[in-house]
Each structure stands twice: as C-alpha cells, then as structure tokens.
Amino acid sequence: MMAIRFIVYPNIDRYKDDVAQYVSKNLGLTVNIGEIITGWDGVSPHIALKKIDVLDAENRVALHLNHVEANVSWLSIPMLQPKLSNLIVHEPALTIRRKPDGSIFLAGIDIGAKSNPTFSNWLLRQRQLRIINAQLNWFDDLRQAPVLSLNQLNLNLTNPVINSIFGQHQFELSAKPSTGTPHAIKVSGLFVGGDVRKIHTWHGNITGRFKNTDISLWKPWIDYPLDIQSGVGNAQIALDFADNKIEYVKINTALTNLSFKVKAQEKYNEKSIEKIKNKSNEKYLLASQFSGEITWSDLKNSQTLRVKQIKLAMPIGLNINNGSGYYVTSIKNAKPWLSAELNLDQFNLSLVNQLSPYLNLPLNVVDTLNGLAPVGELNNLILSWSGAQANPINYAIKTAFDRL
C-alpha cells in the first residue's frame, strides 16, 4: 500500500499511454488520454482524466470527454482488476445516429456490430456510474426527422453489493428535450443482466414521467397508434420487458385539447345510379378532456388491452365520467379468439348517428341506425362480445334506460 501511495500513484501520468492502450484494446477503438491527475478521497485513491478522445473506425473523434473522475476501490488488488467505488463523467456531448438502412451508431460505434464486450461489461460491474449535465443529440436519417436533443441529461447507475450478486442494476435519468415540454423527463427503473452480448436475455422494468407535454410535437420521432393532432398533459408510463420484448405497459394520463384525425365514411349516390359506396373522408375527433389508466400485456399467447377510470368530454356532447373495459385476443381451439367488454356509466343514444361515421361500421348498419334515430339515456351500460376474431357471434348487453 505504501509503495502504491508514494511511488506508483504520484507518477501515474507517465502511464497514461499504457492506460489508453488497455482501454483501446478492450473497447475496440482508439482512445487518447490528455492528462491523468491523482489525489486522495479519504483513504481511497482518486483519479481524474482530462481531454479523452474516442476515435471511430475512420479515426474521427466520435466522443470527447473533458473530465472524467473516479475513486479506486482497494478491492482492485485482490480482484486483480480495476474496481471503482464511483465513476463520474462531466458534461459529455454524445451523438446517436440511425442510418437510412436502420443501423444505429452510438458515438460512431455500430451498436449492432460484433465488438469486444469486455469494457462494457466492466462498466456494468462498477458500484456507481454518474453522468452529469450531458447533451445527447439523436439524428434519425431513416425517418428524415429533425435533430432531437436531450439537454441537461443526468444519469445515475448504481449496483448495490447485494443486488450486484444477482446482476441487478438500478438507474435514474432526467433530461430536458428540445421540444414537447419545458420540463425535464424523468425515467427510472432496474434491469437484470451482466453481459452485453446477451442483452436479449435481460429483463427489468422502466418508468417514465412526463409533465405538461405536447404529445403532437413528438410525431416526427414516434409512431402513435392514432394520427394525433394535438394534446397536452401529464403521463406516467411503466413497462416490463423480458426476452427481447415488451411484456407489459401501464399508462396513467390526463390530457386536454386532444384531437386526432380519422378516416370517416360517407354515403353518396353516383350520378343517377342508386349505388352506395365508401368514400374516404378525413375528419377530426376532439376531446376537451381525457384521463384514465390504460394497460396492455402480451403473455402466454394472449394480448390484453384494459382501460379503467376513463373520463372523456367531447364537444359533440359525449361525457363519460367512469368508463372501463377490456379487449383480449388469444388462441382457442387452434383459432384466433377474442373477448371484449365495454362499461359506461351513461350514454346518450342521440350521439350514435354522430359517432357512427368514425367507427367504420358496415353501411347497412349505418342505414339502420339512421333509420331508427334512437334517443334516450343508457345508464350503467355493460356491452360484451366474444367469438372468432373474424366473426364474433356472442353478444350481450345490460343497461338501465331513461326516456328511450
């Protein structure tokens, strides 16, 4: 210990090229280190590295780090490899680019290509990794989208001793996106895995929190299931993943001024021939308020979508104070099967004709609804159906009605 403290440690800057060569060998890229400064944090050796450049395959600077510091654990001696109590990276600037062919490059490194995992796995084994005030730029050449930046990015990855025995890692991340919200996005979670070569076997959970977010502004980078035109509010999204896929998603959200574009059907006559056709016509559905809980799961050959505590207010007069339901697809007798249920606290039948163009119903059903012109209130409505996905045959309805 005395030899390390008084002989090796004060002269470690002389070995910066050897350190750079060791990192380069394990990373598979050329690494240059400008300066190594040593000191002490109590009884723990402290090392600061300045002006680090990581070069890509074409010898271009793919990543520049002004300042990296670490406390070296004395466990490095019995373990015969560097062991850090903490590793802190200050104000890095990082670029991620997706090429037109779909390949993704992180700081110039093709993350889909085979590479030496030694350095990445070594990082995962350290007690704590912190990234402070980073800037991340996402270039998506495949979508031809504008640059998306995450500013003031802070990451804290920890490996408590007991958890690390089982390969469990905990993380917290916050960052301000360049568009969509003036507030920081906060993400936390844990994952289990220790070998980046086997990332497809990792499992864990992630939770993201979004405040005062305009979800329509993220359309250039995200494919929504609906053609959203506007919508501002808060959301918390939690997901579980395993075996290289997402197994469960839970969304709690509250949005205002939500609108999305849909293909509505219109009926018309062609010249003098009485012939009904489908005509695609873009219309907008508007909701002044939408909130509730949405969950989706994909387990054991069954996909389930559930909603509950739904509140919905639309300018056309549709107001739902407590809606719920589910939609389940599975395999039954070796054939695709579905079961579904919709629960509404109340429903005004006079809205049926206004909503039917947005539901893509068969034209004969639309004609029947128009002919009936139903009016009245349905209360505590429970509508369920099940059967083969292509042709459900079991239907049931339970409700109380008023002024029908």
Side-chain angles (χ1 to χ4, degrees), residues 138-189:
W138 166 252
F139 294 84
D140 197 333
D141 299 333
L142 178 62
R143 298 179 68 101
Q144 296 183 344
V147 180
L148 178 64
S149 298
L150 294 178
N151 305 308
Q152 300 176 34
L153 187 151
N154 296 291
L155 170 67
N156 188 24
L157 174 65
T158 58
N159 303 304
V161 176
I162 297 178
N163 293 5
S164 63
I165 296 174
F166 303 99
Q168 186 180 99
H169 315 273
Q170 300 174 349
F171 70 91
E172 294 180 347
L173 180 149
S174 66
K176 285 188 175 182
S178 55
T179 187
T181 175
H183 302 280
I185 296 171
K186 296 183 179 181
V187 182
S188 61

Side-chain angles (χ1 to χ4, degrees), residues 146-319:
V147 180
L148 178 64
S149 298
L150 294 178
N151 305 308
Q152 300 176 34
L153 187 151
N154 296 291
L155 170 67
N156 188 24
L157 174 65
T158 58
N159 303 304
V161 176
I162 297 178
N163 293 5
S164 63
I165 296 174
F166 303 99
Q168 186 180 99
H169 315 273
Q170 300 174 349
F171 70 91
E172 294 180 347
L173 180 149
S174 66
K176 285 188 175 182
S178 55
T179 187
T181 175
H183 302 280
I185 296 171
K186 296 183 179 181
V187 182
S188 61
L190 63 86
F191 61 93
V192 177
D195 190 344
V196 296
R197 292 172 301 183
K198 300 177 181 179
I199 195 170
H200 59 280
T201 66
W202 292 11
H203 63 275
N205 58 74
I206 301 172
T207 299
R209 298 170 181 84
F210 307 84
K211 183 178 180 181
N212 194 25
T213 301
D214 186 340
I215 58 176
S216 67
L217 296 181
W218 287 348
K219 289 175 62 178
W221 305 279
I222 299 176
D223 289 324
Y224 292 113
L226 300 172
D227 190 358
I228 293 175
Q229 302 299 304
S230 66
V232 178
N234 305 326
Q236 177 173 299
I237 303 174
L239 62 87
D240 296 341
F241 65 92
D243 299 324
N244 209 30
K245 69 174 184 177
I246 296 174
E247 293 186 337
Y248 177 81
V249 178
K250 179 179 179 180
I251 303 173
N252 285 285
T253 186
L255 299 171
T256 58
N257 298 320
L258 176 65
S259 70
F260 53 91
K261 189 163 52 177
V262 296
K263 295 280 188 178
Q265 288 183 330
E266 285 189 352
K267 184 177 71 174
Y268 71 102
N269 294 332
E270 184 179 7
K271 296 181 180 179
S272 59
I273 302 176
E274 295 295 324
K275 184 178 181 180
I276 297 176
K277 292 185 176 181
N278 289 334
K279 180 182 179 181
S280 175
N281 181 43
E282 292 183 343
K283 293 188 176 182
Y284 294 87
L285 273 177
L286 308 176
S288 57
Q289 178 189 9
F290 173 81
S291 64
E293 179 182 296
I294 305 168
T295 62
W296 173 88
S297 62
D298 183 6
L299 299 169
K300 297 180 180 179
N301 298 319
S302 175
Q303 292 193 16
T304 302
L305 176 67
R306 293 184 182 274
V307 296
K308 67 179 183 178
Q309 298 175 346
I310 298 298
K311 291 185 177 182
L312 177 66
M314 302 180 67
I316 62 174
L318 177 61
N319 291 284

Side-chain angles (χ1 to χ4, degrees), residues 36-96:
I36 300 180
I37 303 172
T38 60
W40 292 90
D41 185 0
V43 297
S44 299
H46 182 80
I47 299 178
L49 292 81
K50 303 288 184 114
K51 299 178 181 178
I52 303 171
D53 288 328
V54 180
L55 308 184
D56 62 16
E58 299 179 4
N59 285 325
R60 298 174 302 188
V61 177
L63 176 63
H64 177 74
L65 304 175
N66 279 319
H67 183 196
V68 178
E69 59 178 314
N71 282 352
V72 182
S73 170
W74 289 107
L75 291 175
S76 303
I77 297 176
M79 297 182 68
L80 300 179
Q81 62 173 308
K83 183 70 175 178
L84 306 180
S85 301
N86 59 54
L87 174 63
I88 304 175
V89 182
H90 295 270
E91 301 182 346
L94 185 63
T95 295
I96 303 178

Side-chain angles (χ1 to χ4, degrees), residues 2-39:
M2 298 296 290
I4 293 175
R5 178 161 188 168
F6 294 107
I7 299 175
V8 177
Y9 205 51
N11 298 290
I12 197 171
D13 189 56
R14 299 179 183 178
Y15 304 100
K16 64 182 181 182
D17 292 337
D18 296 324
V19 174
Q21 185 177 2
Y22 173 82
V23 176
S24 299
K25 180 180 179 181
N26 288 282
L27 189 61
L29 295 171
T30 300
V31 177
N32 296 323
I33 300 176
E35 184 181 7
I36 300 180
I37 303 172
T38 60

Side-chain angles (χ1 to χ4, degrees), residues 336-360:
W337 186 266
L338 72 83
S339 60
E341 183 175 287
L342 177 64
N343 300 269
L344 299 177
D345 56 332
Q346 62 180 13
F347 183 76
N348 189 331
L349 285 172
S350 64
L351 299 174
V352 169
N353 290 342
Q354 298 183 58
L355 291 173
S356 61
Y358 301 98
L359 302 178
N360 288 322

